[in-house]
Amino acid sequence: MCPAAAAPTRPVCPAEPVADGRAHWLRVAREAADDLATDTVDREQAGKAPVDEVSRLRESGLLTLTPAGPGGGGADWDTA
């Protein structure tokens, strides 16, 4: 059993249904946005490829949120 993400750095198990659905994903998105916002200016000034940022988004489960295709997060299109 895969635990739901409590913070953007913990992986989300997209195959498991989430009891609170939309509220869960909105919370995960807010946490990811807050996490990424902490050093936005420094990252932008450095001008490097966003490898770490994409990794953090991937770990949050947001990149596979859409219901279409294998490995989809199971959220509806409005939520995604």
Side-chain angles (χ1 to χ4, degrees), residues 62-76:
L62 292 170
L63 296 182
T64 60
L65 183 59
T66 58
D76 60 38

Side-chain angles (χ1 to χ4, degrees), residues 22-52:
R22 182 177 173 85
H24 166 79
W25 289 114
L26 292 176
R27 184 176 62 251
V28 170
R30 173 50 47 207
E31 290 171 353
D34 291 346
D35 177 45
L36 292 170
T38 60
D39 58 350
T40 302
V41 173
D42 294 336
R43 286 185 283 116
E44 184 66 24
Q45 289 175 346
K48 66 177 190 160
V51 176
D52 294 336

